[in-house]
Amino acid sequence: MNNRANNILRCPECYSHDLVRLESSFQCTNCKSEFIDFKNVTTLIAKRHQKSSYDLDIPINWKKDYLKLEAPWDDYFKSLIPKGQGLLLDYACGGGKKSFIESLGYDYIGLDYFLNSGVDILAHGMNIPIQDNSIDLVTSQSVMEHIPNPWDGFREISRILKPGGLYVGATAFLQPYHANSYFHMSHLGVRYIAENTGFEIVEILPSKMNGIESITNTMYNIKYLKKIVSSILNIPFYTGKYLRKLIAGILIAKSKDDNFKKNMKDFMQEEDIRYSAVIYYILKKI
């Protein structure tokens, strides 16, 4: 972890900035708490959230290869992250995306509650050991659906961001339940939480994959089989979608009611996001 990151850490117990680095731990001179590194990785976790181990709970024969993998960010998500400078925190980073983020100009900090190759700080997502108004940009790819209380996650991210700082995220909507997912959010859910945790909306966007494709990819997780099933099911899906647009266009053209026209146009503008597997968002801290 770089020195810039060390300078903005805070104690997860008393929230003071009085952390002193020792050989294999951090000590808070204010509350006298000591936070011992786990397997040589900075570990700043309050007693109420501490565990005996922060290793990933995956089959032992997967670990050697899995821990070498970077996080599977899709190209669309990566395209939403602007070039810049300063500190970027990757929230629940897993394998991380350090090389990609550094190519954009940022200093990378990977934070997670489980040890993985991308992790710089082991911490609890509801108690980020970073000072207020310290981070320039936060990313979280497919994270918020796995948090029992996403409101607290958004609040913590808002707290650590500098005013005007960006939060670029993606969360499940019409994806099936997976890996202990709790809350799958529509675009309205993302908007409501964001606007009530200190953010203004820059963009909320649908994914390239629709819900039908996501479901079939999960049910038929064999390379060619899932493509065949998705292709078959997409025929009635896209046929219905284009018919809806055609009918809406005819109704708008024939109607003399301006209020009806506006409502219909607003409804059809949500057509893609209505069936999206994932919701992408770019938020700015107020």
Side-chain angles (χ1 to χ4, degrees):
M1 187 167 62
N2 59 65
N3 290 330
R4 292 184 66 188
N6 280 331
N7 293 334
I8 60 167
L9 297 177
R10 77 174 195 178
C11 174
E13 290 286 2
C14 69
Y15 310 138
S16 76
H17 305 167
D18 303 320
L19 285 174
V20 176
R21 182 63 184 172
L22 304 177
E23 185 177 349
S24 59
S25 67
F26 272 96
Q27 187 174 71
C28 177
T29 58
N30 182 60
C31 68
K32 309 306 178 186
S33 297
E34 186 173 7
F35 306 95
I36 299 170
D37 296 349
F38 181 76
K39 296 187 176 180
N40 299 316
V41 175
T42 294
T43 304
L44 289 167
I45 300 175
K47 288 181 181 178
R48 63 187 179 278
H49 293 139
Q50 288 178 3
K51 304 185 293 184
S52 58
S53 172
Y54 301 97
D55 284 320
L56 282 166
D57 185 18
I58 57 176
I60 192 70
N61 58 316
W62 290 14
K63 287 190 176 182
K64 185 176 179 181
D65 293 328
Y66 189 88
L67 292 173
K68 293 179 181 177
L69 298 175
E70 286 201 335
W73 288 7
D74 61 77
D75 290 338
Y76 185 44
F77 182 75
K78 291 192 288 187
S79 73
L80 300 178
I81 304 169
K83 290 184 177 180
Q85 55 186 352
L87 291 171
L88 183 147
L89 180 85
D90 189 7
Y91 184 82
C93 63
K97 266 288 181 284
K98 184 174 183 178
S99 57
F100 169 70
I101 292 302
E102 288 183 343
S103 75
L104 297 179
Y106 299 97
D107 289 325
Y108 180 86
I109 307 170
L111 181 141
D112 209 309
Y113 195 44
F114 298 95
L115 185 61
N116 206 320
S117 55
V119 178
D120 296 303
I121 305 173
L122 281 164
H124 195 279
M126 305 301 101
N127 184 5
I128 302 174
I130 289 177
Q131 299 170 23
D132 298 359
N133 307 315
S134 298
I135 300 294
D136 297 279
L137 195 150
V138 173
T139 55
S140 73
Q141 163 72 302
S142 301
V143 172
M144 284 301 166
E145 68 264 30
H146 301 290
I147 294 177
N149 190 339
W151 284 84
D152 287 346
F154 273 76
R155 286 192 190 100
E156 274 293 273
I157 290 170
S158 177
R159 178 185 64 76
I160 66 171
L161 273 171
K162 295 176 181 177
L166 295 180
Y167 170 27
V168 180
T171 192
F173 175 35
L174 293 182
Q175 284 184 330
Y177 162 84
H178 59 281
N180 296 328
S181 54
Y182 292 83
F183 292 98
H184 293 215
M185 285 184 271
S186 72
H187 60 297
L188 293 182
V190 172
R191 177 179 293 277
Y192 188 79
I193 292 180
E195 290 180 342
N196 285 277
T197 52
F199 291 104
E200 64 180 39
I201 310 299
V202 178
E203 284 188 284
I204 297 180
L205 304 157
S207 61
K208 305 296 184 183
M209 180 183 291
N210 63 55
I212 289 175
E213 291 168 321
S214 180
I215 292 167
T216 54
N217 286 351
T218 302
M219 292 185 71
Y220 302 93
N221 195 19
I222 301 172
K223 187 175 181 181
Y224 294 108
L225 179 60
K226 65 184 180 183
K227 286 185 177 180
I228 292 168
V229 175
S230 289
S231 297
I232 293 170
L233 292 177
N234 268 330
I235 293 171
F237 172 76
Y238 283 109
T239 300
K241 186 176 175 182
Y242 292 130
L243 279 173
R244 283 159 61 87
K245 287 186 176 181
L246 177 62
I247 294 168
I250 293 170
L251 291 173
I252 290 169
K254 288 190 173 184
S255 177
K256 296 179 181 180
D257 185 335
D258 291 338
N259 190 51
F260 172 81
K261 289 182 177 182
K262 181 183 181 305
N263 289 339
M264 183 62 73
K265 287 178 180 177
D266 290 344
F267 180 80
M268 294 311 296
Q269 281 179 351
E270 295 182 325
E271 191 72 349
D272 289 332
I273 210 164
R274 188 176 292 117
Y275 305 105
S276 182
V278 175
I279 304 296
Y280 294 82
Y281 51 90
I282 305 173
L283 313 175
K284 180 186 288 187
K285 180 178 175 179
I286 299 171

